[in-house]
């Protein structure tokens, strides 16, 4: 269903979101209408319950912050055509991902290399054998195993293997970011852009488009230049817009992983110039996507060759392209509705109020 251009949270549904001029993208607000999966209210309730059941957040944190973080809003606005059970599995996995990202950050800030190394290895193992890790003592490992096992139920083993391969790469990219931050290394712009595609999990979210569409796409479709370019641009937009919005938060936390920070360090830009450069890249992603989308829709037409398979494949590609388009508006509004980026309201701008600073097995 078409959603309203306001907050989707239950507490602020009538509040018009004021987007700061430096972050405003009129083309998104005008040409990328929001769509929200009709299952969203139940999705929100179920993900809250799942976070509690898996002990990924305390009851107090869930009560105070879960809805305001808008994690389910983000996914319900992206995979808008998915079956309810598919969207639920994706949303729970996405919520887990945010909690994992926060643990990673706290392990760096509090100097917990042993805890991080142990978690990294456990996630690799759980990814390959999730059924054997459903009752792991570390809630982050058990929650990961549960969400991955559910995702693996929707498409063939070939898709599962691809998803696992892509997420193994994400785990290792997080480890590279860990080392960069501990050692104070600001990657070059080129290094950062390559690493960001992994830490933002570009290909994971793209893989999940197929789960939403209910069909595994063959290599000749996924790797077709028109489809792949549209997919990449939708993800690059999200990653770079995230960098634009999270720059104050990451500067407050002495971060080194942000496109703006790399531009300042290695291209000699002022902070204001770097913000302008990132914004330009974001805007180019939008305009380039509109071109890529047209090419990919023509490709979808070509796939419909009169056979039943061709018709199904063409329809699935169109679903994936529609959801790629959804990603722009969902990401855009998420950054202005989620408490994750409301740094100015935090008591300590370097410490999110919704995280637990303890690490499993290491204090």
């Amino acid at each position: 269903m078409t959603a309203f251009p306001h907050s989707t949270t239950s507490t602020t549904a009538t509040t018009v979101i004021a987007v700061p001029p430096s972050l405003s993208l009129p083309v998104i607000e005008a040409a990328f209408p929001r769509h929200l999966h009709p299952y969203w209210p139940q999705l929100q309730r179920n993900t809250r319950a799942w976070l509690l059941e898996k002990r990924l957040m305390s009851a107090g944190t869930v009560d105070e912050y879960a809805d305001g973080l808008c994690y389910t809003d983000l996914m319900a606005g992206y995979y808008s055509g998915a079956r309810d059970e598919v969207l639920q599995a994706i949303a729970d996995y996405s919520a887990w991902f945010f909690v994992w990202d926060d643990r990673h950050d706290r392990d760096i800030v509090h100097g917990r290399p042993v805890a991080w190394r142990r978690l990294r290895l456990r996630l690799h193992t759980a990814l390959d054998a999730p059924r054997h890790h459903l009752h792991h003592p570390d809630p982050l490992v058990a929650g990961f195993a549960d969400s991955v096992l559910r995702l693996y139920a929707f498409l063939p083993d070939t898709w599962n293997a691809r998803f696992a391969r892509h997420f193994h790469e994400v785990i290792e990219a997080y480890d590279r970011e860990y080392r960069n931050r501990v050692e104070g290394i600001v990657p070059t712009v080129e290094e950062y852009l390559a690493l960001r595609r992994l830490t933002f999990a570009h290909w994971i979210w793209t893989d999940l488009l197929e789960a939403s569409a209910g069909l595994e796409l063959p290599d000749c479709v996924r790797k077709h230049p028109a489809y792949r370019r549209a997919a990449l641009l939708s993800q690059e937009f999200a990653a770079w817009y995230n960098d634009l919005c999270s720059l104050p938060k990451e500067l407050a936390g002495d971060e080194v992983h942000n496109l703006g920070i790399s531009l300042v360090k290695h291209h000699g830009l002022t902070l204001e110039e770097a913000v302008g450069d990132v914004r330009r890249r974001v805007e180019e992603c939008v305009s380039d996507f509109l071109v890529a989308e047209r090419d990919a829709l023509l490709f979808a037409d070509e796939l419909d060759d009169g056979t039943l398979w061709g018709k199904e494949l063409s329809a699935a590609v169109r679903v994936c392209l529609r959801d790629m388009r959804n990603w722009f508006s969902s990401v855009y509004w998420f950054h202005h509705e989620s408490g994750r980026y409301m740094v100015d309201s935090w008591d300590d701008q370097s410490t999110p109020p919704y995280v637990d600073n303890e690490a499993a097995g290491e204090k």
Side-chain angles (χ1 to χ4, degrees):
M1 66 180 179
T2 302
F4 28 81
H6 313 309
S7 174
T8 51
T9 62
S10 58
T11 56
T12 59
T14 60
T15 303
V16 176
I17 301 300
V19 180
S22 61
L23 302 176
S24 175
L25 296 174
V27 66
I28 297 295
E29 299 180 27
F32 290 79
R34 298 181 79 180
H35 297 275
L36 195 66
H37 198 291
Y39 180 65
W40 170 73
Q42 185 64 41
L43 181 75
Q44 186 181 55
R45 289 192 291 271
N46 287 351
T47 296
R48 283 167 53 95
W50 185 79
L51 288 167
L52 281 172
E53 177 194 346
K54 299 303 176 184
R55 297 180 294 121
L56 292 167
M57 286 186 181
S58 68
T61 301
V62 168
D63 287 344
E64 188 169 357
Y65 297 108
D67 288 356
L69 290 169
C70 300
Y71 295 160
T72 55
D73 307 45
L74 179 64
M75 294 296 110
Y78 185 11
Y79 303 101
S80 65
R83 301 198 322 268
D84 292 355
E85 63 269 27
V86 175
L87 182 61
Q88 188 67 66
I90 292 174
D92 290 350
Y93 165 76
S94 171
W96 173 88
F97 202 116
F98 280 112
V99 175
W100 176 50
D101 186 73
D102 292 334
R103 169 83 74 85
H104 174 260
D105 178 70
R106 295 297 95 186
D107 280 349
I108 293 168
V109 170
H110 294 284
R112 301 189 292 230
V114 174
W116 165 249
R117 184 165 57 250
R118 183 168 51 237
L119 176 59
R120 167 182 158 242
L121 295 175
R122 285 172 174 172
L123 291 179
H124 276 304
T125 304
L127 182 58
D128 290 329
R131 195 175 301 278
H132 300 304
H133 293 77
L134 292 173
H135 305 289
H136 195 281
D138 184 340
L140 206 61
V141 177
F144 178 61
D146 178 80
S147 62
V148 167
L149 190 63
R150 288 157 62 200
L151 292 173
Y152 281 180
F154 301 122
L155 291 175
D157 289 345
T158 47
W159 183 91
N160 296 346
R162 176 173 18 118
F163 180 94
R165 183 174 69 252
H166 286 160
F167 202 79
H168 281 305
E169 293 174 348
V170 171
I171 296 168
E172 287 306 292
Y174 263 68
D175 187 54
R176 290 200 294 279
E177 178 177 334
Y178 185 100
R179 286 182 273 119
N180 282 347
R181 288 180 61 186
V182 167
E183 297 170 16
I185 298 171
V186 178
T188 67
V189 172
E190 293 72 21
E191 291 169 342
Y192 176 77
L193 293 176
L195 186 59
R196 185 63 163 146
R197 289 174 181 172
L198 295 173
T199 58
F200 199 81
H202 280 24
W203 303 119
I204 290 293
W205 306 117
T206 303
D207 289 339
L208 289 169
L209 291 170
E210 296 168 57
S212 178
L215 184 70
E216 181 185 20
L217 300 179
D219 283 356
C220 63
V221 173
R222 290 189 301 104
K223 296 180 180 180
H224 189 280
Y227 182 88
R228 192 168 180 85
R229 178 159 175 74
L232 179 61
L233 285 166
S234 73
Q235 293 298 322
E236 298 282 50
F237 165 83
W240 299 345
Y241 193 68
N242 175 268
D243 279 6
L244 194 63
C245 294
S246 62
L247 186 56
K249 168 177 174 276
E250 291 172 350
L251 287 172
D254 293 325
E255 257 277 23
V256 296
H257 271 245
N258 185 291
L259 179 53
I261 294 171
S262 287
L263 287 165
V264 169
K265 173 71 174 179
H266 295 288
H267 287 199
L269 273 60
T270 65
L271 183 58
E272 183 179 6
E273 290 169 339
V275 168
D277 190 290
V278 177
R279 182 184 172 91
R280 175 187 59 78
R281 292 171 188 253
V282 166
E283 291 172 338
E284 287 178 355
C285 275
V286 179
S287 58
D288 289 349
F289 174 80
L290 293 172
V291 175
E293 180 186 40
R294 288 197 294 270
D295 292 342
L297 286 170
L298 290 174
F299 172 54
D301 289 342
E302 294 169 3
L303 290 170
D304 189 353
D305 58 3
T307 66
L308 179 59
W309 171 240
K311 183 177 181 179
E312 290 177 349
L313 195 55
S314 175
V317 168
R318 287 182 173 276
V319 169
C320 292
L321 290 170
R322 180 201 62 203
D323 286 351
M324 289 178 201
R325 166 175 274 272
N326 286 343
W327 195 219
F328 285 84
S329 59
S330 194
V331 163
Y332 180 75
W333 291 109
F334 170 71
H335 281 86
H336 303 298
E337 294 173 354
S338 174
R340 195 172 179 85
Y341 303 100
M342 296 180 182
V343 181
D344 290 342
S345 67
W346 301 354
D347 292 335
D348 177 355
Q349 293 195 342
S350 66
T351 304
Y354 49 82
V355 299
D356 181 351
N357 286 333
E358 295 299 324
E362 185 180 8
K363 305 298 182 188

